[in-house]
Amino acid sequence: CWPDCKAPYAADWPQYRAPSGIASESRQHVHNWLSAHYVGPLSLEEAIVVEEVPSLPLSSVLTNTGFELPVDVLQVDTEGFDDVVLYQSSLDSLLPSLINFESTHLSMSRLRKLEKYLDGLGYSLLSTGPDTLAVLSNATS
């Protein structure tokens, strides 16, 4: 349905470019995005495609790929699922120096809970607009 979407931020994108900001574990998030940007002939429910995506714990991904520890930067952008991803990332043992995550799609209560969790791990938080940067207080340079 991408050719039938009129997202202002993607006005100059070529048709073959992958859409951005649409995929989410939240059907409501996708529905809301389509409500704002989809102008095609299908109903919104017909335009939504459900995909099952295999996943692994971050520790398994790091081990399986041979990634060398420590992790300096962890970037998370999962369209409203960022808090869940971070809770499941073994941050207490991984402790990356910087964590940047998209906070704009989190409800205020979920964001506050995540902020409290990260603060408890020793991170200082800085809102950068749609994202939040968490800096490990005792990170070495």
Side-chain angles (χ1 to χ4, degrees):
C1 297
W2 182 241
D4 293 323
C5 293
K6 305 300 178 207
Y9 63 85
D12 296 329
W13 291 1
Q15 282 300 314
Y16 60 81
R17 172 138 189 238
S20 177
I22 302 170
S24 176
E25 60 76 42
S26 167
R27 186 178 197 88
Q28 189 62 51
H29 175 80
V30 175
H31 189 277
N32 292 346
W33 191 96
L34 287 171
S35 293
H37 304 293
Y38 180 67
V39 295
L42 300 176
S43 72
L44 296 184
E45 288 306 311
E46 291 172 310
I48 296 174
V49 176
V50 176
E51 294 281 342
E52 288 197 29
V53 179
S55 63
L56 293 170
L58 180 57
S59 59
S60 296
V61 172
L62 295 174
T63 300
N64 294 345
T65 60
F67 192 91
E68 291 186 32
L69 298 176
V71 171
D72 295 317
V73 178
L74 178 60
Q75 168 65 45
V76 179
D77 183 347
T78 55
E79 302 302 321
F81 204 59
D82 299 60
D83 56 338
V84 176
V85 168
L86 288 170
Y87 292 135
Q88 296 177 356
S89 293
S90 302
L91 292 179
D92 55 337
S93 61
L94 192 61
L95 291 175
S97 301
L98 299 171
I99 302 170
N100 194 65
F101 62 94
E102 186 178 44
S103 49
T104 193
H105 298 303
L106 298 176
S107 68
M108 192 55 66
S109 63
R110 288 174 62 192
L111 179 57
R112 294 296 170 244
K113 181 179 175 187
L114 180 57
E115 288 172 340
K116 184 176 179 179
Y117 170 72
L118 292 171
D119 181 68
L121 292 175
Y123 287 92
S124 299
L125 303 172
L126 173 66
S127 174
T128 61
D131 296 335
T132 298
L133 178 65
V135 180
L136 189 60
S137 298
N138 63 354
T140 59
S141 43

